[in-house]
Amino acid sequence: MLRVFRFLSAFSLALLVLPLSALAQRPTFTVGTATAAAGQKANGYIEVPAGADAATNIPVVVVNGAKAGPVLALVTGAHGTEYVSIIAVEKLIGELDPAQVSGTVILVPLVNVLSFEQKVPHVNPLDNKSMNRFLSGEDGWTQTDRALFMITKEVVDRCDYLIDYHGGDLDESLRPYAYWGAVGKEGQDRISKQMVLAFGLDHIIIWSERPTDPAATRYLDNTASVRGKPSIVVEAGHAGTVETDDVAQLVNGTLSTMRYLKMIPGEPHYIENPVWLAKTVDVVSEGPGIWYPLVKRGTYVQEGMKIGYVTDYFGKVILEARAPAAGVILHVNAVPSLKKGDNIADIGVVAAQAP
Ligand SMILES: [Zn+2]
C-alpha cells in the first residue's frame, strides 16, 4: 500500500513539474501505412510489393504511448493457423491503452495472411515456404522472402525489444514453453533472460548454436537478437483450439514483460525455478502411415520409452516410435495423418542446471 501511495505521489509531482509541451513533443511513429501520434493507436499495413509473384499486405498496429520509452515489437502469425498466438495479440491490440504506455508497441498480429485464410499449416501456401525462416531465398525471392525483408526493415530494425509468438499448429498437440537464446553479450543476454522469466512460461528452452551472421539468420528472434535487440519466443495453444487459459498465458506474459521493461505501470511477475531445457530432440516419421500416440503433450518420458506407433493402411505396425532421450514431450503429432519426414514429436531435454 505504501509503495502504491509513494508511486502516486511521485507521479503527481512529475505531472506538476513536467511542462505540457514535453508530452506534446513525443514524435509520431510510423510503421508501413500506420502512423500514430503520441498517445494514439493507429492501424495500417506493411506493404509487400509484387515480384516474381503477387504483392501482399501485412496488418500492423502502432500503439504510440503518451510517455517516452522503448520500442517493443510483438510479432505473430508467421504460422497462420497457430491460432492462440494470433488471438492473444488481437486481444492486446484492444487492451493496450496508449495513455498508459511509455514508449511504443508495434503489433503484427498476422504475418502469414494466406495461411490463416486458407487454413494451411506451417507455410505460406503461395510459395510453400515457412514465414519464420528469414531470407531463405536461395531459389530466388518469392512473396515470403519479400515479406520477411519488409518485416526486418519495418519492425526488427525499428524496435528495441521483440517477442515472437507461436504455438501448436493444426497438427501439433503442444504444451506451452518459451525459447531463450543468448548471444554472448552480457547486457543483452541479461535483459532477454529477464524478459523470458517475466513472461512466466514454466518451461524454457535454452537455444544455442544459432547463426551469428546478420545476413544468414534463421527465425525472427535470431534475426532480432543478432541485431542487438533482446528478444524471446513464446509458444502456447494446440491443434486449432483457442482455449482461454492458453490465450491468457500469452496476454498476461506480455503485460508482465512490458512491466519489466517499464512500459506500463505495475510490477512484473517472474516465474520462479522454471524447468530449463538444454535442447530439443525430434522424432521423425520414416514413412507415411497412421499415427497412434501413447503419450500426451507435457508427459515426461524415459529414454527408449515407446511414445506411439505407426501402422500402414491395413493395420500392420510399421514403426514403434521411441523417445531418443529422456525429457518432456513439448509437442506430439495431434492427428492420425503422417507422411515421410513429418515431425512425430519434440522432446525437451532437461538442463543439468539453470543458466
Ligand atoms: Zn510457429
Side-chain angles (χ1 to χ4, degrees):
M1 189 61 94
L2 182 66
R3 184 187 295 234
V4 170
F5 175 73
R6 286 176 62 184
F7 170 76
L8 282 176
S9 311
F11 185 64
S12 332
L13 192 65
L15 274 186
L16 287 175
V17 173
L18 267 180
L20 275 176
S21 58
L23 296 176
Q25 278 166 1
R26 282 262 298 135
T28 58
F29 199 98
T30 299
V31 180
T33 64
T35 296
Q40 286 187 357
K41 198 184 290 197
N43 304 336
Y45 292 95
I46 296 168
E47 296 176 325
V48 181
D53 48 18
T56 188
N57 285 327
I58 298 169
V60 64
V61 178
V62 175
V63 177
N64 196 9
K67 291 158 265 179
V71 179
L72 170 67
L74 312 177
V75 183
T76 188
H79 303 132
T81 45
E82 294 174 354
Y83 294 120
V84 163
S85 66
I86 295 159
I87 300 303
V89 173
E90 288 290 334
K91 221 167 154 77
L92 287 162
I93 289 172
E95 283 185 10
L96 288 179
D97 174 5
Q100 293 291 320
V101 171
S102 300
T104 305
V105 189
I106 305 170
L107 302 100
V108 182
L110 183 55
V111 169
N112 193 342
V113 177
L114 279 183
S115 158
F116 180 86
E117 291 178 353
Q118 298 182 15
K119 306 178 192 77
V120 173
H122 308 299
V123 295
N124 177 354
L126 191 85
D127 55 18
N128 218 30
K129 291 179 181 175
S130 169
M131 296 196 85
N132 194 28
R133 302 252 158 90
F134 265 63
L135 304 183
S136 57
E138 305 91 7
D139 53 342
W141 275 30
T142 55
Q143 187 186 79
T144 293
D145 305 290
R146 297 194 306 280
L148 300 183
F149 174 78
M150 290 302 294
I151 288 173
T152 307
K153 207 171 93 169
E154 291 278 337
V155 179
V156 176
D157 286 347
R158 309 279 309 286
C159 73
D160 301 304
Y161 310 101
L162 182 141
I163 305 176
D164 185 19
Y165 300 76
H166 290 265
D169 217 320
L170 286 180
D171 56 354
E172 292 170 339
S173 179
L174 176 145
R175 66 108 54 233
Y177 58 89
Y179 286 95
W180 174 63
V183 294
K185 292 179 190 153
E186 204 274 320
Q188 183 179 337
D189 292 343
R190 190 182 59 245
I191 293 170
S192 58
K193 189 174 169 189
Q194 290 304 106
M195 285 171 70
V196 81
L197 292 172
F199 202 97
L201 298 177
D202 62 6
H203 283 56
I204 305 172
I205 300 167
I206 304 164
W207 203 354
S208 48
E209 293 166 22
R210 305 199 301 170
T212 53
D213 173 2
T217 53
R218 294 174 73 81
Y219 310 113
L220 178 59
D221 97 299
N222 179 216
T223 300
S225 294
V226 300
R227 285 166 173 75
K229 328 289 174 115
S231 51
I232 58 172
V233 183
V234 295
E235 307 231 6
H238 54 94
T241 58
V242 183
E243 291 185 6
T244 308
D245 287 357
D246 288 329
V247 175
Q249 287 208 64
L250 297 187
V251 171
N252 295 339
T254 305
L255 297 175
S256 179
T257 304
M258 287 181 69
R259 290 187 184 106
Y260 160 64
L261 296 171
K262 304 213 178 309
M263 296 183 73
I264 52 172
E267 292 294 320
H269 178 79
Y270 296 100
I271 183 75
E272 284 182 46
N273 303 311
V275 178
W276 290 96
L277 301 167
K279 60 174 179 176
T280 62
V281 185
D282 296 339
V283 183
V284 176
S285 174
E286 289 159 16
I290 301 175
W291 166 243
Y292 294 90
L294 295 171
V295 292
K296 292 188 188 304
R297 61 179 180 277
T299 304
Y300 273 75
V301 295
Q302 185 54 272
E303 183 177 348
M305 185 181 283
K306 192 155 89 170
I307 61 171
Y309 56 96
V310 181
T311 72
D312 64 15
Y313 300 131
F314 304 102
K316 184 180 160 221
V317 175
I318 55 173
L319 172 74
E320 287 193 339
R322 293 186 180 274
V328 56
I329 302 286
L330 293 175
H331 67 75
V332 57
N333 193 37
V335 293
S337 309
L338 270 187
K339 67 178 187 306
K340 184 176 166 61
D342 275 356
N343 212 350
I344 291 177
D346 241 4
I347 296 169
V349 178
V350 178
Q353 58 192 50

